[in-house]
Amino acid sequence: MAENNNEKHKIVIVGGGAAGLELATSLGSKLGKKGLAEVTLIDAASTHIWKPLLHEVAAGTLDESEQVEYLPQGHRNHFHFRLGKMEGLDRQKKQIYVSPTLSDSGEELIPGRTFNYDTLVMSVGSVSNTFNIKGVAEHCLFLDVTAQAFKFQKQLFESYLKSYIGKDSANVKPLSIAIVGAGATGVELAAQLHEVTNVLAIYGLNEKSTVKLTIIEAATQLLPALPIKLAAATQQQLIDLGVDLKMGRRVTEITKEGITTHDGEFIEADLKVWAAGIKAPDWMKNLDGLETNHINQLVVDSTLKTNDDDIFAMGDCAACVWQGHTGNVPPRAQAAHQQASVLCKSIINRLKGRHLVNFVYYDYGSLVSLGKYTTVGNLMGNLMGTVSIGGFIAKVVYLSLYKMHQVAIHGYFRTAMLTLSNAFRRSVYTKIKMH
């Protein structure tokens, strides 16, 4: 079954993450609305949540109104949305193949389809890199996509009920949660879970309930993207919250009961979360001759173009050299935002027969939120160099990054209304989702 058979220039974007959704929205408004091109966004999920917020989804603290539904977003911004997961590519025919969409019971809801393209943009993000460690895939929870975050949230609450409700608090064994990886995801999740534990106690589920939180990291420093001073301050904050930090411990095996490290220590855990590295999805290394690196990312040039002139890649699934630095552009939300903006200009130029725009990554620093406790980070700029910030100022800057994403997909007025609406909702509804 094939789609997109009209004569308009066909732009197909695979992946509705931060970069993909921003690009589809911009191109739809600038090209689709005027009938200059047909813009199609394809994603395996029907809704979008900004990936840096997935730790809040997992903890049950994110307001459901923060989700963006692709269909109405496409209708408002003049692009088509198609539900499905890409499974193959034919560069000669300029077609991509999308697998059938199945229900939870295995019933086929949408048949497999073929989409024609003139310009293809790959923006499928990243998944956790398990490094082939025994037991990770079978026993760990992941936070790569929204569905996994909701799965974690459900298991968290069910485990909490199982551990505490109806039991003698004097003999209750703490619910143990181990997070492998001390990057931004692992650290932010730990702080958010600590806050959730306190909220659950306030709600009266069990006043003496406790959750034992452990972070396991192979490196000797957490948050490698931050300066040592800030990383040390964050480490002390986590220690003050009661988080057990096991640094310099490389995981060798994970079982149902817990985690074994290279020095033979066994860390018991009821819930185990893997946040120790990323890679592009495995199926990308077999995309009809497109060049990939060792973690399956598509290798792109300075214009974000692959070794096929009609195919581009951006976000976490793209390996783009960071000019003036060793290595590639880091997999961050700010990089995805910048790449979407540049690629929008390039694709418009492409339709007009003009040159593509070179992508130059501007690193504005790194920020890590520890929920209500604090926010730390460093800001970078040509005028001020590198400045370390924390507390309220850092929290405002952290929030502004998300607001930039919302403005890109909703515009200023709608973003302002959403912000106001969420402020009122938080004053009425529960702080956490318990279902």
Side-chain angles (χ1 to χ4, degrees), residues 21 69 91 132 221 290 351 379 383:
L21 184 56
E69 295 190 17
R91 291 167 56 194
N132 296 317
Q221 176 191 321
L290 292 182
L351 267 63
L379 298 181
L383 296 178

Side-chain angles (χ1 to χ4, degrees), residues 7 68 84 124 140 149 157 164 179 189 262 312 327 342 368 398 422:
E7 297 302 318
V68 178
V124 297
C140 279
F157 190 64
Y164 299 119
I179 302 169
L189 178 62
H262 75 284
F312 299 81
V342 167
V368 176
Y398 185 88
N422 289 342

